[in-house]
Amino acid sequence: MTAVPLGLPAVPGPHAARPDVPGLVDRFGRVATDLRVSLTDRCNLRCTYCMPAEGLDWMPGGEMLTDDELNRLIRIAVVRLGVTNVRFTGGEPTLRKGIERIIAAAAALTPRPRISMTTNGIGLARRAEALAAAGLDRINVSLDTVRRDRYAEITRRDRLSDVLEGLAGAQEAGLTPVKVNAVLLRGVNDDEAVPLLRFCLDHGYHLRFIEQMPLDPQHGWDRAAMVTADEILATLGERFALSPSTAPRGAAPAERWLVDGGPADVGVIGSVTKPFCGDCDRTRLTADGALRSCLFSQTETDLRAPLRAGADDAEIAEMWRSAMWAKLAGHTINEAGFAQPLRPMSAIGG
């Protein structure tokens, strides 16, 4: 854990007063500078580990933040609270109408935050240039297989060619480094660690494997079925020479490994077996204006209601600070009594 010098013990008591600093500090010395913004809970895929085949009951339109409300909260986070990175997520963020205008508003802020997006890549080929022109700096694309039949099996949609075109389009538009996020599922695509890495190396993409997390609405996550970070590394090590990257990791979730001496690398995010909560720098905003201090939070802070009731920026900022000050030490997945959050991943935002 990296402590921040606040003039306080690293772990004061639960009722300790928050220090008078503008940023999003918590009781464990962490400072949140990375804002994850969910633009919608809707998605045009039906990934088996994310939602049922029939989809979910989507958020009613009136409950979602308007563009103006969303832009205002992002401005408060950047200008008043020290956020330096904004990542747009979903659901599938490209389903949000006017996403280019939202990105442009964030890019116009002073100081300008770094702006990225996580997407499934469908429709990205025709929108990559417009997203880059609006101010998007970088992109992450979710891709769990390079086989068409398996892609259709996992996502319940035959759209692999669209994703591959989207990846190429993002790279051509300068949304680099283009990162690929992959989840390996035991008995489904757990033999594709090497093919996925070869594909990314051949195309100049940066691959990040992510352990499957308990965020499905069916609550069917099974630890025994999860392909662990150590298993992924062992499989890759049979075909590639992996050595630890010397680049500072900071608050990045991925443990990075140079491939065959570099400069290319592969990342492994061991969210379950190798948690990195001690260095977490994230704060999260759902599409309906709920503030979450952690992906696995059991509680939320409603910012939409005070926003619509006329609260000024200073009041909103103070609510945000208070919520982050109460952030827990970690996600407790590996502790007895762990309970999944009520919202699934598609409603929280990645």
Side-chain angles (χ1 to χ4, degrees):
M1 180 173 72
T2 302
V4 177
L6 303 175
L8 290 172
V11 189
H15 303 295
R18 183 188 177 279
D20 186 18
V21 294
L24 296 173
V25 302
D26 67 32
R27 294 180 297 112
F28 300 90
R30 298 167 297 195
V31 181
T33 57
D34 188 324
L35 171 60
R36 306 295 171 97
V37 181
S38 176
L39 295 178
T40 178
D41 62 334
R42 297 173 183 267
C43 189
N44 43 11
L45 297 180
R46 297 292 182 270
C47 296
T48 56
Y49 57 86
C50 188
M51 65 177 66
E54 65 275 14
L56 298 168
D57 292 329
W58 306 125
M59 196 179 293
E63 293 184 6
M64 295 179 62
L65 294 173
T66 65
D67 288 1
D68 287 344
E69 291 170 336
L70 192 60
N71 293 337
R72 182 182 170 196
L73 288 176
I74 294 171
R75 176 173 52 79
I76 291 171
V78 172
V79 175
R80 289 178 175 262
L81 300 174
V83 163
T84 58
N85 295 276
V86 176
R87 176 179 295 188
F88 293 107
T89 71
E92 172 46 44
T94 59
L95 295 182
R96 174 86 181 219
K97 293 182 179 179
I99 184 175
E100 289 85 0
R101 293 191 299 274
I102 294 171
I103 291 171
L109 293 172
T110 302
R112 186 196 189 282
R114 292 182 290 275
I115 304 171
S116 60
M117 182 173 72
T118 297
T119 173
N120 61 29
I122 295 174
L124 181 58
R126 58 182 172 79
R127 301 185 68 173
E129 288 189 6
L131 291 168
L136 189 66
D137 298 311
R138 193 182 60 71
I139 203 156
N140 286 35
V141 178
S142 299
L143 179 65
D144 301 327
T145 176
V146 289
R147 287 178 44 174
R148 179 180 174 182
D149 58 336
R150 281 191 179 163
Y151 186 88
E153 177 187 357
I154 293 171
T155 68
R156 301 186 176 103
R157 300 289 188 271
D158 185 10
R159 304 296 297 273
L160 177 60
S161 60
D162 296 310
V163 180
L164 299 182
E165 290 175 8
L167 283 164
Q171 191 170 61
E172 186 175 346
L175 296 173
T176 55
V178 175
K179 294 187 178 181
V180 172
N181 295 339
V183 176
L184 296 183
L185 307 169
R186 197 175 302 281
V188 178
N189 66 336
D190 53 348
D191 60 345
E192 284 200 71
V194 169
L196 278 164
L197 182 51
R198 288 201 184 281
F199 167 77
C200 289
L201 293 174
D202 289 345
H203 292 83
Y205 307 141
H206 293 224
L207 178 61
R208 300 293 183 260
F209 289 103
I210 306 174
E211 287 182 339
Q212 184 189 6
M213 293 179 283
L215 288 166
D216 60 305
Q218 307 96 316
H219 287 201
W221 179 81
D222 181 359
R223 180 183 294 271
M226 178 186 68
V227 181
T228 69
D230 284 344
E231 289 177 291
I232 294 168
L233 289 171
T235 299
L236 294 177
E238 295 174 358
R239 304 292 291 274
F240 302 96
L242 301 181
S243 57
S245 172
T246 58
R249 181 175 176 179
E255 185 178 14
R256 293 165 56 188
W257 299 82
L258 297 177
V259 179
D260 294 337
D265 66 26
V266 62
V268 181
I269 301 176
S271 305
V272 177
T273 64
K274 300 177 185 291
F276 42 88
C277 302
D279 290 313
C280 181
D281 67 347
R282 291 158 192 78
T283 183
R284 298 175 182 275
L285 186 66
T286 65
D288 57 350
L291 172 64
R292 299 177 65 88
S293 61
C294 173
L295 189 60
F296 294 93
S297 292
Q298 292 295 328
T299 59
E300 299 177 338
T301 299
D302 181 11
L303 296 184
R304 183 188 64 197
L307 198 70
R308 293 181 177 178
D312 62 24
D313 288 2
E315 292 173 299
I316 296 294
E318 194 55 35
M319 292 180 63
W320 207 320
R321 293 186 187 104
S322 296
M324 295 306 296
W325 177 246
K327 182 173 180 172
L328 299 179
H331 56 44
T332 73
I333 291 176
N334 299 306
E335 298 179 18
F338 167 77
Q340 290 188 211
L342 295 177
R343 295 199 197 218
M345 182 65 133
S346 60
I348 296 172

